[in-house]
Amino acid sequence: MATILDMVRNRLPDEAALFAASLPVVVEEAQALAGYEGIAEADLSTTRKSLIADLAAKALLLPARSHYKKEMNKVEGDGAGKAEFVDKLKFLAEMESALTRSIAERRQGIAPADTGVAMIVVE
């Protein structure tokens, strides 16, 4: 079974490598944000791990944008070098939309089955 870190790396491979040192902290924060703080990863379903990975990947978007914009400003010349960073920034914008949708769908899918209230049949 894939780990949360593997899932984040699958979503944003370049950015996960770029922020490899802080990635465990980002995942820990995303796990808390999802409401699963203190729960061992082995005890989480794949859907829950996927939600955490989406939240962590979304959290990487802002620092990644900042990094690429700084690098783009360093590139000199006729602008050919800037095209790579423009493409990366465009990709991050598309990923933000995709992650936002995915997070909403996963939360909706988890919520009905995960209300925290015991199901009791009343006759």
Side-chain angles (χ1 to χ4, degrees), residues 3-14 16-17 20 23-24 53:
T3 67
I4 296 171
L5 287 173
D6 291 336
M7 291 178 177
V8 175
R9 288 182 190 112
N10 288 339
R11 285 158 176 74
L12 295 171
D14 293 341
L23 195 54

Side-chain angles (χ1 to χ4, degrees), residues 51-123:
L51 171 62
I52 294 166
D54 285 349
L55 290 167
K58 190 170 180 183
L60 288 177
L61 294 176
L62 183 63
R65 278 190 187 112
S66 176
H67 172 78
Y68 294 139
K69 285 182 180 180
K70 287 177 187 174
E71 292 300 313
M72 189 166 60
N73 290 335
K74 291 179 186 176
V75 175
E76 296 180 25
D78 61 2
K82 290 187 178 187
E84 175 187 354
F85 296 111
V86 170
D87 287 345
K88 286 186 179 282
L89 291 169
K90 182 179 176 186
F91 168 75
L92 292 178
E94 291 170 4
M95 276 303 294
E96 183 171 25
S97 297
L99 288 168
T100 299
R101 278 191 312 275
S102 180
I103 289 166
E105 289 170 3
R106 292 189 201 296
R107 283 195 170 156
Q108 186 177 7
I110 292 171
D114 226 3
T115 61
V117 178
M119 293 184 67
I120 300 172
V121 177
V122 178
E123 295 182 21

